[in-house]
Amino acid sequence: MMMMSLIENFQILFLCITFRLLVNSEYISTYFVPDEYWQSLEVAHYHAFGYGYLTWEWRYKIRSHLHPMLFHAIYEICKLFGYDDRQSLIIIPIYFQCLLSGIADFYVYKLALKLTDNKSAAFFALFCQLSSWYTFYTAPRTLINTMESILTIIALYYYPWKKSDNKSFNYLLISGFTILMRPTAAIQWTPLLIWHLYRYKISLRLLIEIFSCAFICLSMSLLIDRYYYGSWEFPIWNFILFNFLQGQAAFYGTQPWHWYFTQGWSTILGPYLPLLALSTSYGDLMPLKLSLLWTTIIYSLLKHKEFRFLQAVLPLALILCGNAISKINWKSQRFIVKLCLSLSLIVGLTVNIGLACYFGVVHQSGTTAVMKYLHDVVPSNTSGVLFLMPCHSTPWYAHIHRNIPMRFLTCEPFLGQPDYQDEAEVFYENPSKWLQLNYNNDSLMPPFIVIYDILKPEIDQFLKSYWYKLCKKIFHTHLPEGRIGDNVLIYCR
């Protein structure tokens, strides 16, 4: 029986990893959010190859190097074995992320099986996880939220959900690193730790495990940041001070308190949202439901909200969806009900596949494609490339892998300056004036300018005055919004 279980587990693990490596990795070529590049690969590229751009977060030391360190190690290994060309440096981190995401998929199955003791519920949870369009869209990406989601689901498997579970070291260690890597993970883990202490009482063994894990996590974090920053730093405190105590996170946008309930969950769950609603009618898996609800409520109190902030608890929602499917009594249903339910699942799967393919391959593809084009055509002795786009609209040196001068419009937050406006805002208030102030001499003109097509009418006269011509037009999105256009235009002279 044990051998059969091991074989079955291996088969499921192999399926998950193979799916992520061979399928998921091939359908990701679009841009999601800047942090995918600027807070992971760009930092790693800077340390591995000696050039790159460190954003203000790293200069003000509010981020831990625990996450970019992984990609720095990958880049160093690539250099060692001669795989440090542009294509390898892009695809190998994706494969690494897919490998870890495949392992996380396996732990979704294991956690569902552990909590429900029902193989049907576990298999349906895995089905929901693998077919989720949002998971497919984010699993290969080098986002810290993806890593947080991976570590969270593994730690939750080792969490002592039952009183018979008396081992806590694994979950404490993994959750500790998760919190140090992304401090907001403490929102989810704090009530779970309190519940653990309440149920099991405070014993000497538990205290030793807690303090041992805290010592290991803090020591490694401090040593790693000491190596990268060159001084003793505690980024988690700087992060809390900036984002919460000073309230600077709102600089990057605010949403109403109900945003996660009215838009967040409906978007990332898509057609599986009714299944999550159905799961609330069942009385089991209450700790999972409370954890999901608690995290969503606390996140709703924060002004700055993004879809990706729900990513760490999305697997919990998908486990609840899988459990809801398993509870449908197919045998007792009439034929027409069975038909409707079957069609609903097929439509849900089809919609998920369609969304995954569209957002993974088509939507916002121009700003990644432009870096390959520039890598291929810009000469080594160029005097520069100017990106006149909302800041961080494209990947940077980690995706072009050439040490050429490049400039983008910065958007650093208010840092103690009254009436502050970032460079991007100043530019968009009056593009012509900004260009006249910064590029008023022919000798200053960069050979390449990259813009969205929506900006062209406002700077067309400038482009003509300095003899720029359109060298390349790259499709970007069918859903332009604000300062983001349908196409990316590359002008050269």
Side-chain angles (χ1 to χ4, degrees), residues 30 52 57 79 119 247 297 327 348 359-360 368-369 379 391 410 412 489:
T30 54
E57 291 98 328
K79 282 168 58 179
K119 279 194 174 182
I297 289 173
K327 287 186 177 297
F359 283 99
T368 53
C391 74
T410 60
E412 296 184 355
L489 307 181

Side-chain angles (χ1 to χ4, degrees), residues 100-121:
L100 296 182
S101 293
I103 295 171
D105 296 335
F106 174 63
Y107 272 93
V108 168
Y109 167 80
K110 292 192 68 172
L111 177 60
L113 184 60
K114 181 178 184 178
L115 294 177
T116 64
D117 200 25
N118 183 337
K119 279 194 174 182
S120 174

Side-chain angles (χ1 to χ4, degrees), residues 184 186-188 191 244 257 260-261 290-305 310:
T184 50
I187 292 172
Q188 180 180 3
F244 302 112
W257 68 268
Y260 284 125
F261 292 98
L290 291 174
S291 178
L292 195 65
L293 182 62
W294 162 266
T295 306
T296 306
I297 289 173
I298 300 301
Y299 277 172
S300 296
L301 300 178
L302 307 178
K303 292 181 179 180
H304 180 60
K305 301 175 180 67
L310 295 175

Side-chain angles (χ1 to χ4, degrees), residues 42-340:
E42 192 66 20
V43 181
H45 193 277
Y46 173 86
H47 289 291
F49 298 100
Y51 65 96
Y53 188 96
L54 296 182
T55 60
W56 66 271
E57 291 98 328
W58 302 99
R59 300 197 301 273
Y60 284 86
K61 302 172 182 176
I62 72 168
R63 287 187 182 266
S64 169
H65 284 86
L66 286 171
H67 185 233
M69 176 194 70
L70 300 173
F71 302 105
H72 180 199
I74 290 172
Y75 283 165
E76 292 292 349
I77 294 170
C78 289
K79 282 168 58 179
L80 182 65
F81 290 97
Y83 288 97
D84 54 350
D85 58 285
R86 175 188 177 273
Q87 187 61 23
S88 297
L89 295 179
I90 292 174
I91 197 66
I92 291 175
I94 290 176
Y95 285 150
F96 171 73
Q97 201 68 62
C98 284
L99 173 65
L100 296 182
S101 293
I103 295 171
D105 296 335
F106 174 63
Y107 272 93
V108 168
Y109 167 80
K110 292 192 68 172
L111 177 60
L113 184 60
K114 181 178 184 178
L115 294 177
T116 64
D117 200 25
N118 183 337
K119 279 194 174 182
S120 174
F123 276 115
F124 277 121
L126 181 60
F127 168 80
C128 291
Q129 171 78 359
L130 294 179
S131 61
S132 163
W133 81 269
Y134 187 84
T135 304
F136 191 94
Y137 181 57
T138 56
R141 298 184 184 274
T142 53
L143 268 170
I144 194 169
N145 307 89
T146 301
M147 189 62 69
E148 178 192 5
S149 179
I150 291 166
L151 294 176
T152 297
I153 198 65
I154 295 173
L156 286 172
Y157 171 75
Y158 291 109
Y159 182 81
W161 297 99
K162 302 173 183 177
K163 281 201 171 184
S164 56
D165 299 333
N166 57 3
K167 294 181 180 178
S168 306
F169 186 83
N170 288 341
Y171 106 80
L172 288 170
L173 188 67
I174 299 170
S175 62
F177 277 119
T178 306
I179 292 169
L180 288 171
M181 187 180 292
R182 182 154 178 80
T184 50
I187 292 172
Q188 180 180 3
W189 281 107
T190 299
L192 288 171
L193 178 59
I194 294 171
W195 189 47
H196 179 198
L197 294 173
Y198 172 76
R199 291 178 72 210
Y200 287 81
K201 310 302 179 187
I202 298 177
S203 65
L204 179 62
R205 174 181 173 176
L206 182 55
L207 287 174
I208 290 173
E209 287 183 332
I210 291 173
F211 284 108
S212 297
C213 291
F215 176 78
I216 293 170
C217 293
L218 287 171
S219 298
M220 287 191 65
S221 176
L222 287 169
L223 288 170
I224 289 168
D225 284 316
R226 173 70 176 83
Y227 171 79
Y228 282 101
Y229 282 129
S231 59
W232 293 107
E233 302 293 341
F234 192 43
I236 190 170
W237 167 247
N238 298 333
F239 179 91
I240 293 169
L241 181 66
F242 178 85
N243 285 291
F244 302 112
L245 300 184
Q246 296 178 355
Q248 297 291 344
F251 180 84
Y252 290 107
T254 60
Q255 291 76 28
W257 68 268
H258 55 76
W259 189 83
Y260 284 125
F261 292 98
T262 56
Q263 297 184 50
W265 278 116
S266 59
T267 299
I268 67 173
L269 275 176
Y272 290 155
L273 183 63
L275 292 174
L276 181 63
L278 178 62
S279 72
T280 62
S281 64
Y282 302 118
D284 57 348
L285 300 182
M286 193 55 66
L288 221 59
K289 294 172 184 176
L290 291 174
S291 178
L292 195 65
L293 182 62
W294 162 266
T295 306
T296 306
I297 289 173
I298 300 301
Y299 277 172
S300 296
L301 300 178
L302 307 178
K303 292 181 179 180
H304 180 60
K305 301 175 180 67
E306 295 184 40
F307 294 116
R308 62 191 177 102
F309 294 168
L310 295 175
Q311 201 167 320
V313 290
L314 176 59
L316 305 189
L318 294 173
I319 288 174
L320 293 174
C321 292
N323 187 55
I325 297 173
S326 72
K327 287 186 177 297
I328 299 173
N329 191 341
W330 295 87
K331 292 181 180 180
S332 65
Q333 303 293 343
R334 291 183 297 172
F335 173 76
I336 189 65
V337 176
K338 289 181 182 179
L339 181 63
C340 290

